[in-house]
Amino acid sequence: MLKSKTFLKKTRAGGVMKIVREHYLRDDIGCGAPGCAACGGAHEGPVLEPQPLDPASSLCPWPHYLLPDTNVLLHQIDVLEDPAIRNVIVLQTVLQEVRNRSAPVYKRIRDVTNNQEKHFYTFTNEHHRETYVEQEQGENANDRNDRAIRVAAKWYNEHLKKMSAENHLQVIFITNDKKNKEKAIEEGIPAFTCEEYVKSLTANPELIDRLACLSEEGNEIESGRIIFSEHLPLSKLQQGIKSGTYLQGTFRASRENYLEATVWVHGDDEENKEIILQGLKHLNRAVHEDIVAVELLPKNQWVAPSSVVLHDEGQNEDDLEKEEERERILKTAVNEKMLKPTGRVVGIIKRNWRPYCGMLSKSDIKESRRHLFTPADKRIPRIRIETRQASTLEGRRIIVAIDGWPRNSRYPNGHFVKNLGEVGDKETETEVLLLEHDVPHQPFSQAVLSFLPKMPWSITEKDMKNREDLRHLCVCSVDPPGCTDIDDALHCRELENGNLEVGVHIADVSHFIRPGNALDQESARRGTTVYLCEKRIDMVPELLSSNLCSLRCNVDRLAFSCIWEMNHNAEILKVRFTKSAINSKASLTYAEAQMRIDSTAMNDDITTSLRGLNKLAKILKKRRIEKGALTLSSPEVRFHMDSETHDPIDLQTKELRETNSMVEEFMLLANISVAKKIHEEFSEHALLRKHPAPPPSNYEILVKAAKSKNLEIKTDTAKSLADSLDRADSPTFPYLNTLLRILATRCMMQAVYFCSGMDNDFHHYGLASPIYTHFTSPIRRYADIIVHRLLAVAIGADCTYPELTDKHKLADLCKNLNFRHKMAQYAQRASVAFHTQLFFKSKGIVSEEAYILFVRKNAIVVLIPKYGLEGTVFFEEKDKPKPRLIYDDEIPGISIPVDTPNMDINEPERKKKKREK
């Protein structure tokens, strides 16, 4: 049966276009119930169970299926994902509405419908002849969809009666819409609210905790006191932003001070790019990463960023006097030059809430169901939840979701989602840091794995098309110990004309991952491999990362080679790029390669090649530094693990050798050479990487620190900064230069991927290079796979595809890659911090030298170089416990007290601290 849909669409030019679409109705769409004679019994994908017995409901003791409306799917997804909830009919109408309103929920519901154990069935009611409804005159789209859902529910109940009159199988309509529920009952459809149904599941009382609190009554606390001002409606916010009354930006809460935040304004308003917010009322219920509208305060109300470290101690929410007292601490007399544009949140444009990991702070009131949840991320406010499992959840890591934040509540309201495990347990804490940093870490799906090559695999004649055979070359790899995902290998040999041939050979991952398939999509979504202390979260399946793409020794592998002809002064005479086949002659660690270079007894081909590479690398590095490339520093540590318990038993800072620098120099050179080539061929579509120069204000802490030691740091160019850091030495303070380089690292901007057609500034500040990209690590970075594809097209080794030359799609891809790269770095740091704490858990009294990085009004931030450990030491206050070192992600029971500092806080200076467990 054919229907036609007519609707009007506004064109870009402002006109109106009438669009008519054909809409086919069918009568052969299955209901999802197996064995249904009326449908023919054939169904694709997951289907409903023939006799659903669980969950047992006191309201519906007979076998039944559930049919939720759109709002139940949007707001109660945590309940629907619970293993206890099975046999759910998801209507096409509902799925389309969810897709339009929330991409994350849509993805979650698609994952649930693909899980065969859940028995969720998607019914295409919009194309079924008996369930399709047309919009009536005067009926809005929402009311039409509600009617379509009721029609489908009624049809199901009548249809199932035909299937079997004896078994009383019914469809229960779940809706939180009061009017919709009343209409359904009038039409003879069994209907309940989500809360009514969940509370009827007597065998699953824990499900009640997972209910999102949506009713106004549930969102109100006992106290009627109004704490916050009302958020303006979206229409008024949009008018205000358009007129310039309000500014739109991203809300960024402070890690150090829960009463302070900044809003990074969207657009080109350089004068008010960053707006400070101070005090609960000015923060006005915004949560980290929300898109907000702010109103600038008059200049006489502007403030300076606070130098106080304040953590929310979760006092009684009715006792706001303490809060006001803390806010007064923030306001201190400051120099007028330090004042920044200051504002207040007037409305929320878009909430960016996510599930949060953390711990339950159990209420002191006996038998209370209301408790505060403390998120692991200090930028997130504490969340008030109701749970009957408080005793069970105490001392556990749990996940909580925010439901809302009423004006008269000190904290947002939320609900319990999941119990992750015991606090301090390695598996639990690893799961927490992966979830908190949004690192995709689920096992690869069968759809993804189906695109892997069949084993046993070997290089075929077809593979060698458009590829050079370089298996005769003396190629070797140099990597950290234990590395299995070997991306790169090198060679150096003397040519007959006396020049040197140097090759960088990179794993040809793009040969195995073809554009657009499930493997490619999953790799693009993950963006990068994440390296934790004991675990690696691969971007690509292990068959590729540790086997077929890994350039292991003595096996044939496919590569993408960048080969230069150089003179002995490391000047490039020629460069060429080719797909190749190589056979690495040795897989060395940095220490093994260094030993070969230094050994007078070794003169084999591999060692000769390494010496040639090392000599050229030193020249390349010297030349780079002369151009203004920065040599910065960050404290990095390596753990030695117990072979049985896998607990850290020793911890030391990483030792860097000449061979580390050798490999780095040639990787940088390859990346620059490839960047030039792909930009020549694809001026609008090259995927490049840039590092913006920091604004002068970023250097204030560095300049101030150096000045305290009578040293001058010039920051007008990268070259002057590099030269200043080279000269910044103190005979009485050998570690000063390293400290200053660590501080300089903190001043830098984030390096980012971008599409050449969407930007004019290509410069990489840190490397002092006019153009740069990533080519050398395609096993662990998706950006490199795209660069490989661009380079392959440029040299005629592969063909292009539409997305590769679509600059808008490349820009969207870069946005995801930048996010994933940043989150991977944060996750790696969090893993190091956690393992450092595990290490100290088994230690007694430890005395180590520490250096003060920053001085706050009530605390100092110190660095302990031996362990690469950074933390905050609070000054001792009256009636308060002795100060202790607080980590960014502290785990209860693993804190380290330190002696009270005795110093002049106006001048950072070196002190020894005693540290004890």
Side-chain angles (χ1 to χ4, degrees), residues 22 26 93 96 115 135 217 273 330 340 343 347 421 429 445 500 508 662 714 791 799 803 853 867 912 915:
E22 292 180 339
R26 297 162 51 186
T93 305
Q96 285 173 346
N115 181 354
Q135 192 168 341
E217 298 78 31
K273 195 70 181 169
L330 301 180
K340 304 281 184 185
E429 297 299 338
S445 68
L500 297 170
D508 189 5
M662 176 189 80
K714 292 183 179 178
L791 185 61
C799 48
E803 288 78 11
L853 287 178
Y867 303 118
K912 279 192 179 180
R915 312 171 66 252

mmCIF file of all heavy atoms in Angstrom, residues 22 26 93 96 115 135 217 273 330 340 343 347 421 429 445 500 508 662 714 791 799 803 853 867 912 915:
data_model
loop_
_atom_site.group_PDB
_atom_site.id
_atom_site.type_symbol
_atom_site.label_atom_id
_atom_site.label_comp_id
_atom_site.label_asym_id
_atom_site.label_seq_id
_atom_site.Cartn_x
_atom_site.Cartn_y
_atom_site.Cartn_z
ATOM 1 N N GLU A 22 7.033 9.415 -0.939
ATOM 2 C CA GLU A 22 6.224 8.188 -0.951
ATOM 3 C C GLU A 22 6.461 7.420 0.346
ATOM 4 O O GLU A 22 7.590 7.339 0.821
ATOM 5 C CB GLU A 22 6.605 7.323 -2.156
ATOM 6 C CG GLU A 22 6.209 7.944 -3.490
ATOM 7 C CD GLU A 22 6.600 7.074 -4.669
ATOM 8 O OE1 GLU A 22 7.508 6.227 -4.493
ATOM 9 O OE2 GLU A 22 6.018 7.222 -5.749
ATOM 10 N N ARG A 26 3.134 -1.879 4.707
ATOM 11 C CA ARG A 26 3.194 -3.321 4.445
ATOM 12 C C ARG A 26 2.376 -4.078 5.485
ATOM 13 O O ARG A 26 2.102 -3.565 6.569
ATOM 14 C CB ARG A 26 4.660 -3.785 4.511
ATOM 15 C CG ARG A 26 5.539 -3.147 3.464
ATOM 16 C CD ARG A 26 7.011 -3.261 3.789
ATOM 17 N NE ARG A 26 7.426 -4.626 4.105
ATOM 18 C CZ ARG A 26 8.634 -4.946 4.535
ATOM 19 N NH1 ARG A 26 9.542 -3.996 4.706
ATOM 20 N NH2 ARG A 26 8.939 -6.200 4.799
ATOM 21 N N THR A 93 8.533 4.728 15.900
ATOM 22 C CA THR A 93 8.175 6.107 16.261
ATOM 23 C C THR A 93 9.040 6.595 17.416
ATOM 24 O O THR A 93 9.592 7.699 17.394
ATOM 25 C CB THR A 93 6.694 6.186 16.684
ATOM 26 O OG1 THR A 93 5.885 5.639 15.645
ATOM 27 C CG2 THR A 93 6.258 7.613 16.976
ATOM 28 N N GLN A 96 12.875 6.900 16.476
ATOM 29 C CA GLN A 96 13.164 8.097 15.673
ATOM 30 C C GLN A 96 13.197 9.347 16.544
ATOM 31 O O GLN A 96 14.055 10.216 16.374
ATOM 32 C CB GLN A 96 12.116 8.254 14.567
ATOM 33 C CG GLN A 96 12.316 7.269 13.417
ATOM 34 C CD GLN A 96 11.176 7.298 12.399
ATOM 35 O OE1 GLN A 96 10.104 7.861 12.661
ATOM 36 N NE2 GLN A 96 11.394 6.689 11.256
ATOM 37 N N ASN A 115 21.643 -6.794 21.685
ATOM 38 C CA ASN A 115 22.010 -7.816 22.664
ATOM 39 C C ASN A 115 20.908 -8.879 22.712
ATOM 40 O O ASN A 115 19.814 -8.645 23.222
ATOM 41 C CB ASN A 115 22.179 -7.155 24.037
ATOM 42 C CG ASN A 115 22.578 -8.150 25.120
ATOM 43 O OD1 ASN A 115 22.632 -9.366 24.891
ATOM 44 N ND2 ASN A 115 22.850 -7.642 26.310
ATOM 45 N N GLN A 135 -1.299 12.293 10.672
ATOM 46 C CA GLN A 135 -1.511 13.444 11.550
ATOM 47 C C GLN A 135 -2.842 14.103 11.196
ATOM 48 O O GLN A 135 -3.118 14.408 10.037
ATOM 49 C CB GLN A 135 -0.367 14.454 11.384
ATOM 50 C CG GLN A 135 -0.337 15.525 12.447
ATOM 51 C CD GLN A 135 0.976 16.320 12.421
ATOM 52 O OE1 GLN A 135 1.963 15.866 11.876
ATOM 53 N NE2 GLN A 135 0.969 17.490 13.015
ATOM 54 N N GLU A 217 8.071 17.102 42.651
ATOM 55 C CA GLU A 217 8.075 16.826 44.088
ATOM 56 C C GLU A 217 9.371 16.148 44.512
ATOM 57 O O GLU A 217 9.969 16.458 45.521
ATOM 58 C CB GLU A 217 6.892 15.912 44.478
ATOM 59 C CG GLU A 217 5.530 16.505 44.215
ATOM 60 C CD GLU A 217 5.117 16.432 42.743
ATOM 61 O OE1 GLU A 217 5.515 15.495 42.050
ATOM 62 O OE2 GLU A 217 4.405 17.346 42.292
ATOM 63 N N LYS A 273 37.203 36.694 26.208
ATOM 64 C CA LYS A 273 37.297 35.282 25.809
ATOM 65 C C LYS A 273 37.093 34.361 27.003
ATOM 66 O O LYS A 273 36.518 33.290 26.890
ATOM 67 C CB LYS A 273 38.676 35.030 25.182
ATOM 68 C CG LYS A 273 38.780 33.727 24.417
ATOM 69 C CD LYS A 273 37.976 33.762 23.134
ATOM 70 C CE LYS A 273 38.051 32.456 22.364
ATOM 71 N NZ LYS A 273 37.080 32.390 21.280
ATOM 72 N N LEU A 330 37.379 34.107 49.293
ATOM 73 C CA LEU A 330 37.817 34.276 47.908
ATOM 74 C C LEU A 330 38.122 35.731 47.592
ATOM 75 O O LEU A 330 38.989 36.034 46.783
ATOM 76 C CB LEU A 330 36.722 33.798 46.942
ATOM 77 C CG LEU A 330 36.258 32.339 47.045
ATOM 78 C CD1 LEU A 330 35.184 32.078 46.028
ATOM 79 C CD2 LEU A 330 37.416 31.384 46.835
ATOM 80 N N LYS A 340 39.797 40.292 36.299
ATOM 81 C CA LYS A 340 39.404 39.694 35.018
ATOM 82 C C LYS A 340 37.912 39.916 34.796
ATOM 83 O O LYS A 340 37.151 40.092 35.758
ATOM 84 C CB LYS A 340 39.687 38.180 35.035
ATOM 85 C CG LYS A 340 41.124 37.800 35.345
ATOM 86 C CD LYS A 340 42.017 37.958 34.147
ATOM 87 C CE LYS A 340 43.440 37.490 34.438
ATOM 88 N NZ LYS A 340 44.337 37.743 33.328
ATOM 89 N N GLY A 343 31.429 37.314 35.577
ATOM 90 C CA GLY A 343 30.012 37.227 35.222
ATOM 91 C C GLY A 343 29.237 36.259 36.084
ATOM 92 O O GLY A 343 29.745 35.750 37.088
ATOM 93 N N GLY A 347 21.500 31.192 32.406
ATOM 94 C CA GLY A 347 20.715 30.095 31.834
ATOM 95 C C GLY A 347 21.598 29.020 31.243
ATOM 96 O O GLY A 347 22.783 29.224 30.992
ATOM 97 N N GLY A 421 32.813 -1.791 42.018
ATOM 98 C CA GLY A 421 33.696 -2.655 42.799
ATOM 99 C C GLY A 421 34.312 -1.911 43.970
ATOM 100 O O GLY A 421 34.014 -0.747 44.232
ATOM 101 N N GLU A 429 39.602 0.413 39.907
ATOM 102 C CA GLU A 429 40.145 1.750 39.686
ATOM 103 C C GLU A 429 40.521 1.971 38.222
ATOM 104 O O GLU A 429 40.388 3.077 37.698
ATOM 105 C CB GLU A 429 41.372 1.999 40.579
ATOM 106 C CG GLU A 429 41.083 1.971 42.067
ATOM 107 C CD GLU A 429 40.078 3.025 42.520
ATOM 108 O OE1 GLU A 429 39.897 4.034 41.802
ATOM 109 O OE2 GLU A 429 39.471 2.842 43.582
ATOM 110 N N SER A 445 33.749 -5.875 18.565
ATOM 111 C CA SER A 445 32.564 -6.666 18.193
ATOM 112 C C SER A 445 32.906 -7.646 17.074
ATOM 113 O O SER A 445 33.915 -7.492 16.374
ATOM 114 C CB SER A 445 31.443 -5.731 17.727
ATOM 115 O OG SER A 445 31.800 -5.124 16.491
ATOM 116 N N LEU A 500 74.609 9.130 2.051
ATOM 117 C CA LEU A 500 73.942 8.146 2.911
ATOM 118 C C LEU A 500 72.477 8.006 2.514
ATOM 119 O O LEU A 500 71.819 8.993 2.173
ATOM 120 C CB LEU A 500 74.030 8.581 4.374
ATOM 121 C CG LEU A 500 75.436 8.675 4.971
ATOM 122 C CD1 LEU A 500 75.394 9.336 6.340
ATOM 123 C CD2 LEU A 500 76.098 7.297 5.060
ATOM 124 N N ASP A 508 52.259 -0.613 7.539
ATOM 125 C CA ASP A 508 51.226 -0.237 6.563
ATOM 126 C C ASP A 508 49.854 -0.703 7.047
ATOM 127 O O ASP A 508 49.257 -1.628 6.495
ATOM 128 C CB ASP A 508 51.560 -0.828 5.189
ATOM 129 C CG ASP A 508 50.651 -0.290 4.099
ATOM 130 O OD1 ASP A 508 49.827 0.604 4.404
ATOM 131 O OD2 ASP A 508 50.743 -0.755 2.950
ATOM 132 N N MET A 662 67.646 9.629 19.063
ATOM 133 C CA MET A 662 67.920 9.195 17.689
ATOM 134 C C MET A 662 66.617 8.827 16.969
ATOM 135 O O MET A 662 66.339 9.297 15.853
ATOM 136 C CB MET A 662 68.861 7.989 17.707
ATOM 137 C CG MET A 662 69.153 7.384 16.344
ATOM 138 S SD MET A 662 70.041 5.812 16.475
ATOM 139 C CE MET A 662 68.685 4.678 16.859
ATOM 140 N N LYS A 714 62.948 35.162 28.586
ATOM 141 C CA LYS A 714 62.341 35.917 27.488
ATOM 142 C C LYS A 714 61.376 35.005 26.731
ATOM 143 O O LYS A 714 61.718 33.860 26.432
ATOM 144 C CB LYS A 714 63.420 36.452 26.557
ATOM 145 C CG LYS A 714 64.296 37.518 27.192
ATOM 146 C CD LYS A 714 65.297 38.071 26.202
ATOM 147 C CE LYS A 714 66.147 39.169 26.850
ATOM 148 N NZ LYS A 714 67.160 39.692 25.921
ATOM 149 N N LEU A 791 48.839 10.078 1.520
ATOM 150 C CA LEU A 791 50.152 9.907 0.891
ATOM 151 C C LEU A 791 50.093 8.831 -0.195
ATOM 152 O O LEU A 791 50.707 8.981 -1.267
ATOM 153 C CB LEU A 791 51.198 9.542 1.954
ATOM 154 C CG LEU A 791 52.648 9.435 1.463
ATOM 155 C CD1 LEU A 791 53.142 10.759 0.881
ATOM 156 C CD2 LEU A 791 53.572 8.989 2.607
ATOM 157 N N CYS A 799 43.773 4.388 -4.335
ATOM 158 C CA CYS A 799 42.781 5.322 -4.888
ATOM 159 C C CYS A 799 42.072 6.072 -3.753
ATOM 160 O O CYS A 799 42.034 5.608 -2.612
ATOM 161 C CB CYS A 799 41.767 4.597 -5.763
ATOM 162 S SG CYS A 799 41.080 3.129 -4.992
ATOM 163 N N GLU A 803 35.060 10.739 1.348
ATOM 164 C CA GLU A 803 35.312 11.343 2.663
ATOM 165 C C GLU A 803 36.738 11.885 2.815
ATOM 166 O O GLU A 803 36.976 12.786 3.600
ATOM 167 C CB GLU A 803 35.043 10.322 3.783
ATOM 168 C CG GLU A 803 33.580 9.999 4.011
ATOM 169 C CD GLU A 803 33.016 9.029 2.981
ATOM 170 O OE1 GLU A 803 33.815 8.447 2.211
ATOM 171 O OE2 GLU A 803 31.783 8.853 2.930
ATOM 172 N N LEU A 853 56.206 24.088 43.520
ATOM 173 C CA LEU A 853 55.875 24.577 42.182
ATOM 174 C C LEU A 853 55.033 25.839 42.252
ATOM 175 O O LEU A 853 55.277 26.800 41.541
ATOM 176 C CB LEU A 853 55.104 23.498 41.407
ATOM 177 C CG LEU A 853 55.889 22.283 40.903
ATOM 178 C CD1 LEU A 853 54.952 21.318 40.221
ATOM 179 C CD2 LEU A 853 56.988 22.702 39.941
ATOM 180 N N TYR A 867 59.943 10.527 42.347
ATOM 181 C CA TYR A 867 58.755 9.735 42.023
ATOM 182 C C TYR A 867 57.857 10.406 40.985
ATOM 183 O O TYR A 867 56.791 9.878 40.662
ATOM 184 C CB TYR A 867 57.945 9.458 43.294
ATOM 185 C CG TYR A 867 58.741 8.753 44.373
ATOM 186 C CD1 TYR A 867 58.971 9.339 45.602
ATOM 187 C CD2 TYR A 867 59.271 7.488 44.135
ATOM 188 C CE1 TYR A 867 59.703 8.694 46.587
ATOM 189 C CE2 TYR A 867 60.015 6.833 45.111
ATOM 190 C CZ TYR A 867 60.226 7.431 46.331
ATOM 191 O OH TYR A 867 60.951 6.796 47.292
ATOM 192 N N LYS A 912 63.005 20.594 52.089
ATOM 193 C CA LYS A 912 62.890 19.147 52.281
ATOM 194 C C LYS A 912 61.645 18.869 53.098
ATOM 195 O O LYS A 912 61.345 19.572 54.041
ATOM 196 C CB LYS A 912 64.107 18.608 53.025
ATOM 197 C CG LYS A 912 65.296 18.397 52.118
ATOM 198 C CD LYS A 912 66.359 17.615 52.817
ATOM 199 C CE LYS A 912 67.532 17.378 51.893
ATOM 200 N NZ LYS A 912 68.600 16.629 52.525
ATOM 201 N N ARG A 915 58.054 12.649 54.499
ATOM 202 C CA ARG A 915 56.802 12.051 54.050
ATOM 203 C C ARG A 915 56.678 10.698 54.728
ATOM 204 O O ARG A 915 57.610 9.924 54.754
ATOM 205 C CB ARG A 915 56.853 11.867 52.529
ATOM 206 C CG ARG A 915 57.317 13.126 51.831
ATOM 207 C CD ARG A 915 57.569 12.884 50.360
ATOM 208 N NE ARG A 915 56.350 12.569 49.673
ATOM 209 C CZ ARG A 915 56.046 11.376 49.233
ATOM 210 N NH1 ARG A 915 56.853 10.391 49.420
ATOM 211 N NH2 ARG A 915 54.920 11.142 48.610
#
